[in-house]
Amino acid sequence: MLPIEFLFITAWPVIDMRLRCKCKGIEYPPGIPPNVSKLLELDIIRWELQGLDDVLKPSQFSLAVKGSLYPDRNGPRSRLKGQLQMNISFVLPHILALVPEDVRRDVADSVLRGLLQNMKSKVNGSLLSDYAEFKKEKQKTLV
């Protein structure tokens, strides 16, 4: 993923995701419309923030992400809809305790929004390229 910058610190998130396809409403998460025939569930199974070895120990930071993507076929066009739940907790390094709380909150909000947008674009890009590859392979088997 793209690097995240916070004050004078740069970190490179490395995330492994598990994707599962669910169908026919079986084990769908809450909030998914009942007419959705298939859904893609995503979970982060491993993560690492490279570049923070001197600032933040892995035991001081936790990240949990669960989400789902599904087609919204209302009207003439289909589009992709989804939901995402992200939980982050960390122990603030002593040096950052000197930064005023409202500044830390604004910067943290900006960093998290950037991380979420980065994840969204990576997932969407991967889905499109994976689907294009699947479609190409499917056409080869039909010929």
Side-chain angles (χ1 to χ4, degrees), residues 70-122:
Y70 57 93
D72 180 20
R73 295 189 173 110
N74 291 332
R77 295 185 60 161
S78 292
R79 61 186 191 149
L80 201 55
K81 283 186 118 179
Q83 58 187 30
L84 186 73
Q85 179 180 354
M86 180 186 298
N87 294 313
I88 298 174
S89 64
F90 60 92
V91 176
L92 190 65
H94 296 294
I95 191 73
L96 294 180
L98 301 173
V99 177
E101 185 178 341
D102 57 335
V103 173
R104 286 192 317 248
R105 188 178 307 117
D106 290 346
V107 170
D109 186 52
S110 174
V111 167
L112 293 176
R113 286 185 193 280
L115 178 61
L116 187 59
Q117 187 62 35
N118 190 354
M119 286 173 54
K120 180 180 173 183
S121 67
K122 291 285 185 187

Side-chain angles (χ1 to χ4, degrees), residues 28-100:
Y28 280 10
I32 304 297
N35 65 331
V36 171
S37 60
K38 289 186 180 183
L39 115 85
L40 188 61
E41 185 178 72
L42 36 114
D43 292 312
I44 287 184
I45 56 173
R46 190 183 73 79
W47 59 268
E48 181 182 348
L49 288 174
Q50 296 178 348
L52 293 182
D53 301 336
D54 298 334
V55 179
L56 191 66
K57 296 175 182 63
S59 63
Q60 297 175 319
F61 185 89
S62 70
L63 172 69
V65 177
K66 285 187 163 289
S68 56
L69 296 169
Y70 57 93
D72 180 20
R73 295 189 173 110
N74 291 332
R77 295 185 60 161
S78 292
R79 61 186 191 149
L80 201 55
K81 283 186 118 179
Q83 58 187 30
L84 186 73
Q85 179 180 354
M86 180 186 298
N87 294 313
I88 298 174
S89 64
F90 60 92
V91 176
L92 190 65
H94 296 294
I95 191 73
L96 294 180
L98 301 173
V99 177

Side-chain angles (χ1 to χ4, degrees), residues 121-139:
S121 67
K122 291 285 185 187
V123 168
N124 286 342
S126 295
L127 284 175
L128 292 174
S129 66
D130 288 350
Y131 179 73
E133 186 66 28
F134 166 78
K135 202 168 151 183
K136 189 173 18 172
E137 288 178 16
K138 185 95 169 164
Q139 287 176 346

Side-chain angles (χ1 to χ4, degrees), residues 22-28:
K22 294 185 174 184
C23 60
K24 300 177 185 170
I26 300 171
E27 296 181 18
Y28 280 10

